[in-house]
Amino acid sequence: MSKQKDFEKLKAPNQPTTYSSEQLQEFVACAKDPIYFMENYLFIQHATRGKIPFTAYEFQKELIRTYWQNRNTIAMIPRQSGKTTTAAGYLLWYAMFNPDVTVLIAANKFRAASEIMLKIKYAYEELPNFIRPGVESYNVQSIEFDNGSRILATTTTPDSGRGMAISLLYLDEFAFVKPTVASAF
């Protein structure tokens, strides 16, 4: 996909949105419940089936509820179970429906952080305009919405997030971060 087409899928910042009564009800339902938002509006890229709607397994719903209802969560979940896709959907929901928050994704490798950001961007680009916020900035490592919220992706280093007011921190593969880096972080 060309870069021009990528930007065509973004909603311009600070544009007024006109809602039908059904759209307004849907927006409110999405804002109130991340599971509702994800199961009704989130599309993901499946490895073999391409673009598909996100359909959560019960353990994924429990993970989303756990993220939502607890300040601190440690999830030890097997590989290839959809945990990163679930987290990406939740992080997108959190930034879209909570103004002026900063979400930081820190992963043990830049590639892993970038993969999570790609999942978030894909999900955002496939949302209908009446649900998604406008975009102020959109690049490899960050998205900034016109509601004042932003999502940033980086590697886990002793300086990751230093000096930032972080509202939600998502640490991916933290068990694989070198102990000296983890303790300094």
Side-chain angles (χ1 to χ4, degrees):
M1 181 180 291
S2 74
K3 293 289 181 193
Q4 182 62 29
K5 287 187 188 241
D6 287 348
F7 291 111
E8 289 173 3
K9 290 188 166 195
L10 304 181
K11 183 177 177 182
N14 304 311
Q15 298 297 311
T17 302
T18 303
Y19 297 96
S20 69
S21 60
E22 294 82 20
Q23 288 174 332
L24 187 56
Q25 287 176 336
E26 286 298 300
F27 184 89
V28 170
C30 288
K32 286 183 176 180
D33 185 351
I35 296 171
Y36 182 87
F37 163 72
M38 292 170 69
E39 289 202 315
N40 288 280
Y41 291 98
L42 203 69
F43 283 91
I44 61 172
Q45 283 181 311
H46 188 275
T48 58
R49 296 176 14 213
K51 176 183 171 181
I52 61 169
F54 177 81
T55 304
Y57 293 105
E58 194 53 46
F59 83 90
Q60 290 171 314
K61 291 178 187 178
E62 184 61 30
L63 183 60
I64 295 164
R65 283 190 286 272
T66 300
Y67 288 152
W68 191 21
Q69 296 168 359
N70 296 282
R71 180 160 168 74
N72 300 309
T73 302
I74 297 174
M76 294 175 52
I77 300 172
R79 296 182 49 74
Q80 302 302 313
S81 61
K83 66 185 172 298
T84 303
T85 300
T86 302
Y90 179 78
L91 298 175
L92 176 61
W93 172 85
Y94 186 85
M96 285 176 46
F97 293 105
N98 292 286
D100 302 312
V101 299
T102 298
V103 175
L104 179 64
I105 301 163
N108 65 325
K109 295 182 181 176
F110 180 74
R111 184 175 180 167
S114 297
E115 282 296 317
I116 297 168
M117 186 58 80
L118 284 173
K119 289 176 185 294
I120 291 169
K121 287 179 175 181
Y122 182 84
Y124 171 84
E125 291 172 6
E126 296 302 322
L127 291 171
N129 256 354
F130 76 92
I131 289 191
R132 60 185 172 171
V135 173
E136 296 277 352
S137 175
Y138 197 79
N139 60 56
V140 174
Q141 290 182 263
S142 68
I143 301 173
E144 295 182 26
F145 296 123
D146 62 3
N147 69 355
S149 293
R150 59 191 179 151
I151 304 172
L152 310 166
T154 188
T155 54
T156 306
T157 69
D159 294 327
S160 298
R162 188 177 304 254
M164 298 171 65
I166 298 169
S167 309
L168 193 156
L169 174 63
Y170 180 77
L171 301 173
D172 188 58
E173 301 283 353
F174 197 71
F176 295 103
V177 174
K178 293 179 182 176
T180 55
V181 173
S183 63
F185 178 80

